[in-house]
Structures are given as structure tokens and as C-alpha cells.
Amino acid sequence: MKQTNIFKLIHMIEQVNNANIIRFTKAFPYPLGISPILVLNELHVKGPQKQAELAETIGYTKGAMTSIAEKLVKLGLAERLYDPSDRRTIRLQITDEGQAALAKAQSIGKEVFVQLFDVLDEEEIAQYLQIQEKLVQGIQEKNE
């Protein structure tokens, strides 16, 4: 593939991503980006966790995780749990409001993607799916 086409493809991917982020952000009622939503999802799936564990799992620095945790706690979407036997051990836990915010984010995210792919016919969707599967397989093979 010519470099010109690769750079054009990269530019188009960025345009699609940016447009989807803007649409999502306008529809989502919480002042949060994707990073805190990923943290909420991790807490939802795996339960309460130490911030250092979350940072490592998601790939954030400890400092970034501290900032995200503080924001989630201030918004009432997460809470800190203190271990009664060791007060130094603090875990972050998603709250009921955090569960609701996560559900809203997932719902909006699905709608954004449904609208995005609505312009493609069934054959184009099948082709795009094959391409995405091939890309994921390539990433997995390079990581092994």
C-alpha cells in the first residue's frame, strides 16, 4: 500500500473517531471523558480494586488514576472503601449512580455506532467486519 493511502486512511480514521467522540460527549450528561468510563467499567466487571491495580490494568499512570478516581468520587460515581484491618489499603468501588452512568454511556455509545454504520449496506458491513477481524488478528500475532 502506498504511504499516501496509509496517511489518508489514518486521517479518515481520526475524523470518524473525533466525530463520534463529539457526538458521544454532547449526548452524555456527565462531565467525563472515556478514561473515567473505562474505569467505571473495570469496577463494574471486576468489583472494588486498588487504584494502582486499576492503573496497571487499564494502562494509566498512578497520577492519572488518582485524578480519575478523585473526579469519580466527587461526582458520586465511585467511592473509596477502607480496609478496617489496614487503613492504608483503599479500594475504589462503583456506586449505584456510577452503574447508572456506565449504563447510559454504553447506551449512547451503541447508538453512536449504530448511526455510524447505518450508511453501510449488509455487504459493506460484512467486508468491514472481515477487515477489523484481520486487523485484530494481526495485533494479537504481533503481541505474541
Side-chain angles (χ1 to χ4, degrees):
M1 179 184 282
K2 291 182 178 179
Q3 260 193 341
T4 304
N5 286 341
I6 291 174
F7 290 126
K8 186 175 180 181
L9 179 60
I10 291 168
H11 180 67
M12 296 307 294
I13 291 169
E14 288 174 347
Q15 284 185 310
V16 168
N17 286 340
N18 290 343
N20 281 339
I21 289 168
I22 290 167
R23 288 177 55 223
F24 176 85
T25 302
K26 285 182 179 179
F28 192 57
Y30 297 88
L32 297 174
I34 190 67
S35 297
I37 294 168
L38 292 174
V39 170
L40 287 175
N41 188 64
E42 193 68 19
L43 294 172
H44 169 76
V45 171
K46 295 183 180 172
Q49 296 176 58
K50 294 179 186 178
Q51 286 180 201
E53 293 169 345
L54 282 166
E56 187 174 326
T57 300
I58 301 175
Y60 298 143
T61 64
K62 290 179 184 178
M65 191 60 239
T66 298
S67 176
I68 291 168
E70 189 62 34
K71 189 171 208 173
L72 291 172
V73 169
K74 280 184 181 177
L75 290 171
L77 305 178
E79 61 188 356
R80 291 187 175 95
L81 301 176
Y82 296 91
D83 186 336
S85 62
D86 182 1
R87 297 273 302 160
R88 295 172 296 174
T89 302
I90 304 168
R91 296 186 185 281
L92 201 60
Q93 173 177 286
I94 191 169
T95 62
D96 289 342
E97 183 161 351
Q99 296 281 6
L102 178 60
K104 182 75 172 168
Q106 290 169 334
S107 174
I108 292 169
K110 285 178 187 173
E111 183 59 31
V112 165
F113 276 102
V114 165
Q115 290 174 8
L116 170 68
F117 293 121
D118 193 42
V119 299
L120 301 177
D121 62 34
E122 288 302 315
E123 183 179 330
E124 290 169 324
I125 289 173
Q127 290 170 346
Y128 187 74
L129 180 58
Q130 282 183 316
I131 292 168
Q132 289 290 357
E133 288 170 343
K134 188 173 184 177
L135 290 171
V136 168
Q137 182 180 1
I139 290 169
Q140 291 171 342
E141 289 171 0
K142 287 178 182 172
N143 287 340
E144 291 175 354

